[in-house]
Amino acid sequence: MKLLEYMKENILYLDGGMGTLLQAEGLQPGEHPERWNYEHPEVIVKLQRMYFDAGTNLIISNTFGANTLKFDPEELERIVKSALENARKAAAESTGKQEKFVALDIGPSGRLLKPYGDFDFEDAVTLFAETVKLGVKYGADAIFIETMNDSYETKAALLAAKEHSDLPVLVSNAYSEDGKLMTGASPEAMIALLEGMGADAIGVNCSLGPKALAPIVEKYLEKASLPVLLKPNAGLPRDVDGKTVFDVLPEEFSEDVAALVEKGVRIVGGCCGTTPDYIRATVEKTKALQPVPVTEKNITWVSSYTHAVEFGGSPVLIGERINPTGKKRFKQALVEKDLDYILNEGIAQQEKGVHILDVNVGLPEIDEAEMLKNVSFELQAILDLPLQIDTTDIAAMEQALRRYNGKAMINSVNGKEENMRAIFPLVKKYGGLLVALTLDEDGIPETAEKRVEIAEKILKTAAEYGIAKKDIIFDTLAMTISADPKAAFATVDSLREIRHRLGCHTSLGVSNISFGLPNRDFINSTFFAMALENGLSAAIMNPHSADMMKTYYAYRALHGYDENCGDYIRFASAFVPAAAVSAAQPAAEEKEFRSALQKAIVKGLKEQAGDLTAKLLETEKPLEIVQKEIIPALDIVGQGFEAKTVYLPQLLMAAEAAKSAFEKIKAAMSLEKEPAAAKCSFVLATVKGDIHDIGKNIVKLLLENYGFAVSDLGRDIAPQEILEEVQRLHAPMCGLSALMTTTVPAMEETIQLIHTEAPWCKVVVGGAVLTQEYADRIGADKYAKDAMEAVRYADEINGSL
């Protein structure tokens, strides 16, 4: 029986933890567990046989960290081949009578992708593809992508799996206590992305125990139209008599998992701290339960790297200003590659309240494919709004979709046969919400009936590619009433029919209705209200238009989308008549930010931050700029991060903008021979055996921006090497990072060595597997739950020196 066929009618049982079991078998600190596939195959077979005997259906191969960042190609092939052979042998030797399958395991690369790190998206796809191809070669039944804490890396791994295999792909993400991925994605954002790209099952693993993960799992069950998987830890690690144990035992674990199976979870197993006893208890608790059917949720949505925007309730606003049509200055910016101007257009629209940004850079005199890819990438680096990729160039569309971090809105397809056959395969491969224009080879029909017929043809053709109508949103094309007085009726009548009879959502470029007329906002805002009343789901519009925004807020208040009319009251109270806008706007900006430089840093505008710093240096001392502008700007972002109102990518882009400002400061101080007010030394390293350095690199960037002299030793660093650097610098602080439970012993060894040989040095630890209690047990001086906490502690220690 094939895996997907089995999943349709049954609960699928996964295995549990491997790292702690291997440590009990003799895995040494810093030793790569993947090598045990060929060095100690009998141990791997024994452990996986124990899981099969406990009731596991799907064993996940011992290849979590198997990639070419860690192993050369020849050894990687040996590892994957041995791992899959071991799992097959375990299945054959098991006494269990259940169906048995083997999945190739793919864990995170340990690198942070650009723009927040230094690892390119295509390099990540290639990295994962190398492992996927070996999994296919040596007979895996499925691919299991797990413990991903970044939406972009998750997309890279899934894309590699889909491009290089036709195996079922199960995808699991690791959420923090705040219910989001490390880089900010909500469950809804991940569901939209992964469903759109064609994952076969999605869910949650690692991080926390089943009870703590339940709220996240329940969101998956509410929103996902795919089987939901759950692979939680056995709670959190703690110390008992000098040994690491987890605080949720098999009985409690299985009860908590069973409660979620009753709510609809279809795939269950365990992660860190779980053993065959946990799986056995879970099978016993759930084997009599009838699997809850997986249902289609029919949600129309798009997503960014942080959140999803859902269509069907309150109207969705799509900002139209990133478009050269009729905009001389914008055309100039495209030709001159003035990205700061374009990014500021995006920021300004976000501040006005749009939910999605339309991105159109089509000019005949530029390379549209390259510009669209770059503009989309840079916008996503500083803004968390979903984007609408707006182009008629198929090559440009594919490049932008491939690198888009989330589920994009795609503008557009139409009823022309050639156009549909070119665009539908892209939507099927990359996912997306596709805007469909009701025109065909005969042009734009004059009647509503003909436009609806084209819509039906588009839906029928899309279905041939496996694209559901929930992923198509129709634009019934607003035509100017100055040329045809009945144009508005044709648009609105077809819009109403498509929304209510065909059951599809709708979008319009509202301002086209008034082309050629004076005071166009008068017409636009009234037509906007008219369209909303007839079922308009989203509008491509100018958010700087007071008349359009009045209609939007009034409509929401009148239709019950605005609780206690709160948004309307705020809008109306802050409303400034058009004549006073130019005078009032600077005052509003000054109230939020001390200066343009502060705003540029907070918004993550690197080039602008550098240029503004250079300008300020003409009149102010370098250290005054640091103290009055740069550090306060970083504090604004840091406080937002700690308050969970700012996400990690925004924190990192602000740090990069500050770095750009600091480069100008350093150059000026060098010319003036002014001494830098550097803080103390801080040694950083990822411990022996661990190649995951994302957390360490984030801490490094922030520490440097706050003035610390950071010595970054890199990853997989031996205790003695770390000690020698601490002694060489007489560093008062050292930061150690570890992601995997198998490398925590190396962290403990390093801490003991530093405390013995360099007692003046405070050791700060962090990483996904650590808790305060665990950090205390291994002797750390400080446990930092995130990068900003490490910076705050460093400032504290520096101030006491």
Side-chain angles (χ1 to χ4, degrees):
M1 184 181 289
K2 298 287 188 182
L3 177 62
L4 292 182
E5 185 184 345
Y6 183 82
M7 284 167 52
K8 285 179 183 176
E9 303 296 332
N10 299 277
I11 296 166
L12 184 72
Y13 296 104
L14 307 175
D15 56 15
M18 180 61 78
T20 47
L21 296 182
L22 287 176
Q23 284 176 320
E25 294 287 341
L27 181 74
Q28 295 301 302
E31 192 177 3
H32 294 307
E34 294 84 7
R35 286 197 172 116
W36 276 48
N37 287 307
Y38 64 82
E39 291 177 346
H40 306 286
E42 72 287 349
V43 175
I44 303 299
V45 171
K46 179 184 77 171
L47 296 177
Q48 292 180 333
R49 184 177 63 241
M50 289 165 61
Y51 277 119
F52 275 132
D53 289 347
T56 290
N57 298 116
L58 180 65
I59 282 286
I60 298 164
S61 64
N62 182 36
T63 55
F64 180 81
N67 59 59
T68 51
L69 291 177
K70 205 170 182 180
F71 306 102
D72 64 43
E74 292 75 20
E75 187 177 19
L76 177 64
E77 181 160 5
R78 187 179 183 188
I79 286 169
V80 173
K81 180 176 184 289
S82 301
L84 293 172
E85 287 174 349
N86 292 338
R88 291 289 182 206
K89 188 174 182 183
E93 293 180 1
S94 170
T95 58
K97 304 301 182 187
Q98 74 277 16
E99 291 283 341
K100 302 181 184 72
F101 307 94
V102 175
L104 174 74
D105 193 25
I106 292 181
S109 67
R111 301 277 295 276
L112 193 59
L113 273 60
K114 294 177 181 178
Y116 316 119
D118 61 357
F119 201 37
D120 187 75
F121 176 78
E122 290 297 345
D123 290 338
V125 174
T126 300
L127 180 80
F128 293 123
E130 290 165 343
T131 307
V132 167
K133 286 184 280 188
L134 291 171
V136 173
K137 180 177 179 178
Y138 292 109
D141 297 312
I143 296 167
F144 194 89
I145 298 167
E146 67 168 323
T147 323
M148 293 285 177
N149 56 17
D150 172 35
S151 59
Y152 210 22
E153 186 174 31
T154 309
K155 175 173 179 172
L158 179 54
L159 188 58
K162 301 296 282 188
E163 286 187 330
H164 296 280
S165 84
D166 57 3
L167 297 175
V169 186
L170 294 74
V171 184
S172 184
N173 290 101
Y175 289 86
S176 303
E177 287 180 289
D178 63 358
K180 299 183 186 300
L181 300 190
M182 178 188 73
T183 48
S186 67
E188 292 86 351
M190 293 312 301
I191 296 165
L193 166 64
L194 298 173
E195 279 194 355
M197 288 186 65
D200 294 289
I202 57 177
V204 182
N205 81 292
C206 205
S207 306
L208 304 163
K211 201 183 295 291
L213 286 175
I216 299 168
V217 174
E218 286 165 359
K219 286 184 181 179
Y220 270 76
L221 293 172
E222 178 190 354
K223 299 290 187 178
S225 301
L226 295 173
V228 173
L229 71 87
L230 171 62
K231 200 171 185 279
N233 288 351
L236 296 171
R238 58 189 176 90
D239 179 59
V240 175
D241 298 328
K243 291 184 178 180
T244 300
V245 299
F246 285 76
D247 62 5
V248 179
L249 298 178
E251 182 68 18
E252 182 185 352
F253 179 93
S254 60
E255 286 177 0
D256 293 340
V257 170
L260 290 166
V261 170
E262 288 179 340
K263 291 183 177 182
V265 170
R266 293 293 299 267
I267 303 168
V268 292
C271 204
C272 301
T274 61
T275 67
D277 288 340
Y278 285 76
I279 303 306
R280 184 175 293 104
T282 300
V283 172
E284 284 300 314
K285 282 282 196 319
T286 58
K287 66 183 180 181
L289 295 177
Q290 185 68 28
V292 177
V294 178
T295 58
E296 173 57 59
K297 305 305 189 299
N298 285 313
I299 298 173
T300 296
W301 53 7
V302 294
S303 67
S304 67
Y305 71 86
T306 60
H307 68 283
V309 172
E310 196 169 329
F311 294 74
S314 180
V316 173
L317 300 183
I318 304 170
E320 69 178 12
R321 303 296 297 168
I322 301 178
N323 188 317
T325 306
K327 303 181 185 76
K328 185 178 178 182
R329 177 65 186 91
F330 194 92
K331 288 179 182 178
Q332 181 187 347
L334 289 175
V335 171
E336 296 174 356
K337 298 182 180 178
D338 182 359
L339 289 184
D340 268 0
Y341 179 84
I342 299 169
L343 297 181
N344 276 304
E345 281 283 6
I347 290 169
Q349 291 183 95
Q350 182 184 46
E351 290 173 347
K352 286 293 183 181
V354 301
H355 308 106
I356 298 169
L357 291 175
D358 182 75
V359 183
N360 183 318
V361 296
L363 273 186
E365 58 265 44
I366 68 169
D367 181 344
E368 183 181 353
E370 187 67 17
M371 180 61 76
L372 184 60
K373 181 181 73 174
N374 291 341
V375 168
S376 299
F377 181 78
E378 294 295 338
L379 282 166
Q380 285 210 292
I382 65 164
L383 297 172
D384 68 347
L385 296 181
L387 303 182
Q388 175 170 270
I389 307 300
D390 187 352
T391 181
T392 57
D393 184 324
I394 304 300
M397 182 182 290
E398 175 157 24
Q399 285 195 38
L401 287 176
R402 185 174 180 85
R403 284 183 172 262
Y404 180 76
N405 190 356
K407 179 181 180 180
M409 201 164 176
I410 306 166
N411 192 6
S412 57
V413 73
N414 59 54
K416 295 178 182 178
E417 194 70 23
E418 183 181 1
N419 185 262
M420 289 189 287
R421 300 299 176 190
I423 289 174
F424 285 147
L426 298 183
V427 179
K428 181 62 178 175
K429 179 175 182 177
Y430 298 110
L433 174 60
L434 183 58
V435 178
L437 309 181
T438 53
L439 64 86
D440 61 12
E441 288 84 355
D442 296 324
I444 302 172
E446 291 184 5
T447 67
E449 291 77 16
K450 288 291 185 183
R451 295 186 196 187
V452 174
E453 283 179 19
I454 293 172
E456 291 174 323
K457 180 175 74 170
I458 290 171
L459 288 175
K460 183 178 178 182
T461 308
E464 295 174 17
Y465 291 86
I467 299 168
K469 70 178 184 180
K470 70 178 182 180
D471 286 325
I472 297 178
I473 183 168
F474 284 96
D475 184 335
T476 55
L477 300 167
M479 307 300 290
T480 179
I481 56 171
S482 62
D484 178 4
K486 296 182 179 178
F489 291 108
T491 301
V492 169
D493 289 349
S494 53
L495 182 152
R496 183 177 58 249
E497 185 79 356
I498 288 170
R499 180 70 193 98
H500 298 296
R501 184 170 70 80
L502 299 187
C504 295
H505 289 286
T506 56
S507 174
L508 279 177
V510 175
S511 61
N512 294 336
I513 200 74
S514 64
F515 186 78
L517 295 172
N519 290 316
R520 293 179 63 185
D521 276 358
F522 295 177
I523 296 288
N524 294 346
S525 58
T526 303
F527 177 65
F528 184 27
M530 181 179 170
L532 288 170
E533 287 297 339
N534 282 275
L536 182 66
S537 308
I540 305 173
M541 47 79 74
N542 177 9
H544 300 292
S545 164
D547 288 324
M548 289 291 287
M549 297 307 287
K550 285 179 197 173
T551 298
Y552 168 73
Y553 283 108
Y555 177 88
R556 290 184 73 249
L558 289 166
H559 283 260
Y561 294 126
D562 184 1
E563 189 174 354
N564 299 321
C565 299
D567 292 339
Y568 175 79
I569 291 167
R570 279 187 289 275
F571 170 76
S573 301
F575 178 70
V576 180
V581 166
S582 59
Q585 190 62 37
E589 284 192 6
E590 282 164 22
K591 194 192 298 188
E592 187 177 357
F593 300 104
R594 183 180 185 274
S595 66
L597 175 57
Q598 274 199 8
K599 182 175 182 179
I601 292 171
V602 170
K603 297 295 183 181
L605 298 169
K606 292 179 284 188
E607 288 186 24
Q608 193 171 326
D611 293 343
L612 289 167
T613 302
K615 186 74 176 169
L616 272 177
L617 284 166
E618 295 173 7
T619 57
E620 294 190 34
K621 293 262 183 205
L623 288 180
E624 286 182 6
I625 297 172
V626 171
Q627 295 301 325
K628 293 180 180 177
E629 304 284 352
I630 300 175
I631 296 299
L634 286 170
D635 282 339
I636 290 170
V637 182
Q639 288 159 13
F641 179 73
E642 290 165 328
K644 308 294 186 188
T645 59
V646 167
Y647 301 110
L648 179 62
Q650 296 159 293
L651 179 71
L652 293 178
M653 294 313 295
E656 288 289 352
K659 189 176 178 182
S660 177
F662 272 122
E663 292 301 321
K664 302 292 185 182
I665 296 289
K666 287 176 187 174
M669 292 174 79
S670 173
L671 289 172
E672 295 179 15
K673 297 193 166 90
E674 186 174 334
K679 295 177 182 176
C680 66
S681 299
F682 195 117
V683 176
L684 271 177
T686 301
V687 299
K688 182 67 179 171
D690 205 317
I691 66 160
H692 301 87
D693 60 359
I694 291 174
K696 172 186 68 63
N697 291 344
I698 293 166
V699 172
K700 175 189 175 183
L701 180 61
L702 292 176
L703 284 171
E704 287 177 338
N705 275 319
Y706 274 84
F708 289 90
V710 179
S711 173
D712 179 10
L713 297 177
R715 51 193 182 161
D716 193 14
I717 306 299
Q720 186 63 34
E721 189 177 342
I722 298 170
L723 171 66
E724 288 170 2
E725 184 69 356
V726 168
Q727 290 175 324
R728 184 183 74 82
L729 297 171
H730 201 78
M733 281 177 287
C734 176
L736 303 176
S737 174
L739 176 78
M740 303 184 297
T741 53
T742 54
T743 57
V744 174
M747 179 180 278
E748 183 176 9
E749 182 184 339
T750 307
I751 293 169
Q752 290 173 356
L753 188 61
I754 290 173
H755 282 169
T756 301
E757 302 295 332
W760 64 84
C761 182
K762 301 290 187 185
V763 182
V764 187
V765 299
V769 295
L770 294 174
T771 63
Q772 182 66 60
E773 185 178 358
Y774 210 175
D776 292 342
R777 205 268 292 172
I778 62 177
D781 296 292
K782 171 68 178 177
Y783 163 64
K785 71 178 186 299
D786 57 44
M788 279 310 302
E789 189 167 343
V791 171
R792 301 294 187 220
Y793 179 72
D795 263 336
E796 207 178 288
I797 296 300
N798 183 75
S800 67
L801 296 176

PDB file of all heavy atoms in Angstrom, residues 168-183:
ATOM      1  N   PRO A 168       5.582  11.688  -1.775  1.00  0.00           N
ATOM      2  CA  PRO A 168       4.809  12.508  -0.834  1.00  0.00           C
ATOM      3  C   PRO A 168       5.763  13.334   0.041  1.00  0.00           C
ATOM      4  O   PRO A 168       6.832  12.848   0.431  1.00  0.00           O
ATOM      5  CB  PRO A 168       4.054  11.477   0.004  1.00  0.00           C
ATOM      6  CG  PRO A 168       4.062  10.227  -0.801  1.00  0.00           C
ATOM      7  CD  PRO A 168       5.321  10.244  -1.601  1.00  0.00           C
ATOM      8  N   VAL A 169       5.354  14.564   0.330  1.00  0.00           N
ATOM      9  CA  VAL A 169       6.188  15.449   1.152  1.00  0.00           C
ATOM     10  C   VAL A 169       5.384  15.916   2.362  1.00  0.00           C
ATOM     11  O   VAL A 169       4.314  16.514   2.215  1.00  0.00           O
ATOM     12  CB  VAL A 169       6.689  16.669   0.357  1.00  0.00           C
ATOM     13  CG1 VAL A 169       7.676  17.475   1.202  1.00  0.00           C
ATOM     14  CG2 VAL A 169       7.336  16.247  -0.947  1.00  0.00           C
ATOM     15  N   LEU A 170       5.909  15.614   3.552  1.00  0.00           N
ATOM     16  CA  LEU A 170       5.308  16.063   4.811  1.00  0.00           C
ATOM     17  C   LEU A 170       6.197  17.176   5.364  1.00  0.00           C
ATOM     18  O   LEU A 170       7.423  17.022   5.397  1.00  0.00           O
ATOM     19  CB  LEU A 170       5.217  14.915   5.816  1.00  0.00           C
ATOM     20  CG  LEU A 170       4.271  13.751   5.475  1.00  0.00           C
ATOM     21  CD1 LEU A 170       4.848  12.854   4.383  1.00  0.00           C
ATOM     22  CD2 LEU A 170       3.975  12.905   6.713  1.00  0.00           C
ATOM     23  N   VAL A 171       5.590  18.270   5.782  1.00  0.00           N
ATOM     24  CA  VAL A 171       6.368  19.440   6.213  1.00  0.00           C
ATOM     25  C   VAL A 171       5.943  19.853   7.616  1.00  0.00           C
ATOM     26  O   VAL A 171       4.761  20.067   7.886  1.00  0.00           O
ATOM     27  CB  VAL A 171       6.173  20.628   5.252  1.00  0.00           C
ATOM     28  CG1 VAL A 171       7.074  21.794   5.672  1.00  0.00           C
ATOM     29  CG2 VAL A 171       6.479  20.220   3.810  1.00  0.00           C
ATOM     30  N   SER A 172       6.943  19.993   8.487  1.00  0.00           N
ATOM     31  CA  SER A 172       6.664  20.330   9.885  1.00  0.00           C
ATOM     32  C   SER A 172       7.539  21.498  10.324  1.00  0.00           C
ATOM     33  O   SER A 172       8.749  21.500  10.085  1.00  0.00           O
ATOM     34  CB  SER A 172       6.930  19.110  10.769  1.00  0.00           C
ATOM     35  OG  SER A 172       6.575  19.377  12.105  1.00  0.00           O
ATOM     36  N   ASN A 173       6.923  22.474  10.965  1.00  0.00           N
ATOM     37  CA  ASN A 173       7.634  23.664  11.434  1.00  0.00           C
ATOM     38  C   ASN A 173       7.742  23.701  12.948  1.00  0.00           C
ATOM     39  O   ASN A 173       6.903  23.138  13.658  1.00  0.00           O
ATOM     40  CB  ASN A 173       6.940  24.930  10.930  1.00  0.00           C
ATOM     41  CG  ASN A 173       7.105  25.117   9.426  1.00  0.00           C
ATOM     42  OD1 ASN A 173       6.197  24.827   8.651  1.00  0.00           O
ATOM     43  ND2 ASN A 173       8.266  25.576   9.018  1.00  0.00           N
ATOM     44  N   ALA A 174       8.780  24.378  13.426  1.00  0.00           N
ATOM     45  CA  ALA A 174       9.036  24.490  14.866  1.00  0.00           C
ATOM     46  C   ALA A 174       8.674  25.891  15.337  1.00  0.00           C
ATOM     47  O   ALA A 174       9.319  26.870  14.953  1.00  0.00           O
ATOM     48  CB  ALA A 174      10.505  24.193  15.163  1.00  0.00           C
ATOM     49  N   TYR A 175       7.638  25.989  16.157  1.00  0.00           N
ATOM     50  CA  TYR A 175       7.124  27.278  16.631  1.00  0.00           C
ATOM     51  C   TYR A 175       7.654  27.610  18.024  1.00  0.00           C
ATOM     52  O   TYR A 175       7.867  26.722  18.853  1.00  0.00           O
ATOM     53  CB  TYR A 175       5.594  27.256  16.653  1.00  0.00           C
ATOM     54  CG  TYR A 175       4.980  27.274  15.278  1.00  0.00           C
ATOM     55  CD1 TYR A 175       4.787  26.087  14.567  1.00  0.00           C
ATOM     56  CD2 TYR A 175       4.624  28.461  14.671  1.00  0.00           C
ATOM     57  CE1 TYR A 175       4.244  26.089  13.297  1.00  0.00           C
ATOM     58  CE2 TYR A 175       4.072  28.483  13.392  1.00  0.00           C
ATOM     59  CZ  TYR A 175       3.886  27.291  12.708  1.00  0.00           C
ATOM     60  OH  TYR A 175       3.360  27.317  11.440  1.00  0.00           O
ATOM     61  N   SER A 176       7.829  28.888  18.260  1.00  0.00           N
ATOM     62  CA  SER A 176       8.249  29.359  19.578  1.00  0.00           C
ATOM     63  C   SER A 176       7.040  29.499  20.493  1.00  0.00           C
ATOM     64  O   SER A 176       5.888  29.324  20.064  1.00  0.00           O
ATOM     65  CB  SER A 176       8.960  30.707  19.447  1.00  0.00           C
ATOM     66  OG  SER A 176      10.060  30.611  18.571  1.00  0.00           O
ATOM     67  N   GLU A 177       7.296  29.862  21.738  1.00  0.00           N
ATOM     68  CA  GLU A 177       6.210  30.000  22.713  1.00  0.00           C
ATOM     69  C   GLU A 177       5.207  31.074  22.329  1.00  0.00           C
ATOM     70  O   GLU A 177       4.052  31.041  22.756  1.00  0.00           O
ATOM     71  CB  GLU A 177       6.798  30.307  24.092  1.00  0.00           C
ATOM     72  CG  GLU A 177       7.481  29.107  24.743  1.00  0.00           C
ATOM     73  CD  GLU A 177       8.064  29.442  26.101  1.00  0.00           C
ATOM     74  OE1 GLU A 177       9.075  30.170  26.153  1.00  0.00           O
ATOM     75  OE2 GLU A 177       7.503  28.984  27.113  1.00  0.00           O
ATOM     76  N   ASP A 178       5.640  32.051  21.503  1.00  0.00           N
ATOM     77  CA  ASP A 178       4.724  33.112  21.080  1.00  0.00           C
ATOM     78  C   ASP A 178       3.830  32.675  19.919  1.00  0.00           C
ATOM     79  O   ASP A 178       3.041  33.462  19.396  1.00  0.00           O
ATOM     80  CB  ASP A 178       5.489  34.388  20.709  1.00  0.00           C
ATOM     81  CG  ASP A 178       6.423  34.202  19.516  1.00  0.00           C
ATOM     82  OD1 ASP A 178       6.505  33.069  18.986  1.00  0.00           O
ATOM     83  OD2 ASP A 178       7.076  35.181  19.116  1.00  0.00           O
ATOM     84  N   GLY A 179       3.943  31.409  19.499  1.00  0.00           N
ATOM     85  CA  GLY A 179       3.082  30.903  18.437  1.00  0.00           C
ATOM     86  C   GLY A 179       3.540  31.264  17.044  1.00  0.00           C
ATOM     87  O   GLY A 179       2.769  31.138  16.087  1.00  0.00           O
ATOM     88  N   LYS A 180       4.787  31.711  16.893  1.00  0.00           N
ATOM     89  CA  LYS A 180       5.315  32.083  15.583  1.00  0.00           C
ATOM     90  C   LYS A 180       6.660  31.394  15.344  1.00  0.00           C
ATOM     91  O   LYS A 180       7.320  30.954  16.283  1.00  0.00           O
ATOM     92  CB  LYS A 180       5.486  33.599  15.488  1.00  0.00           C
ATOM     93  CG  LYS A 180       4.178  34.365  15.662  1.00  0.00           C
ATOM     94  CD  LYS A 180       4.377  35.851  15.477  1.00  0.00           C
ATOM     95  CE  LYS A 180       3.106  36.633  15.801  1.00  0.00           C
ATOM     96  NZ  LYS A 180       1.978  36.237  14.952  1.00  0.00           N
ATOM     97  N   LEU A 181       7.049  31.315  14.077  1.00  0.00           N
ATOM     98  CA  LEU A 181       8.384  30.824  13.759  1.00  0.00           C
ATOM     99  C   LEU A 181       9.420  31.866  14.175  1.00  0.00           C
ATOM    100  O   LEU A 181       9.093  33.020  14.419  1.00  0.00           O
ATOM    101  CB  LEU A 181       8.524  30.541  12.264  1.00  0.00           C
ATOM    102  CG  LEU A 181       7.587  29.510  11.634  1.00  0.00           C
ATOM    103  CD1 LEU A 181       8.043  29.181  10.216  1.00  0.00           C
ATOM    104  CD2 LEU A 181       7.496  28.244  12.461  1.00  0.00           C
ATOM    105  N   MET A 182      10.677  31.463  14.213  1.00  0.00           N
ATOM    106  CA  MET A 182      11.748  32.376  14.608  1.00  0.00           C
ATOM    107  C   MET A 182      11.736  33.650  13.772  1.00  0.00           C
ATOM    108  O   MET A 182      11.960  34.753  14.292  1.00  0.00           O
ATOM    109  CB  MET A 182      13.101  31.680  14.454  1.00  0.00           C
ATOM    110  CG  MET A 182      14.300  32.538  14.782  1.00  0.00           C
ATOM    111  SD  MET A 182      15.862  31.735  14.372  1.00  0.00           S
ATOM    112  CE  MET A 182      15.832  31.839  12.572  1.00  0.00           C
ATOM    113  N   THR A 183      11.475  33.525  12.468  1.00  0.00           N
ATOM    114  CA  THR A 183      11.471  34.704  11.600  1.00  0.00           C
ATOM    115  C   THR A 183      10.093  35.340  11.463  1.00  0.00           C
ATOM    116  O   THR A 183       9.886  36.178  10.584  1.00  0.00           O
ATOM    117  CB  THR A 183      12.034  34.347  10.213  1.00  0.00           C
ATOM    118  OG1 THR A 183      11.411  33.149   9.742  1.00  0.00           O
ATOM    119  CG2 THR A 183      13.529  34.137  10.267  1.00  0.00           C
TER     120      THR A 183
END
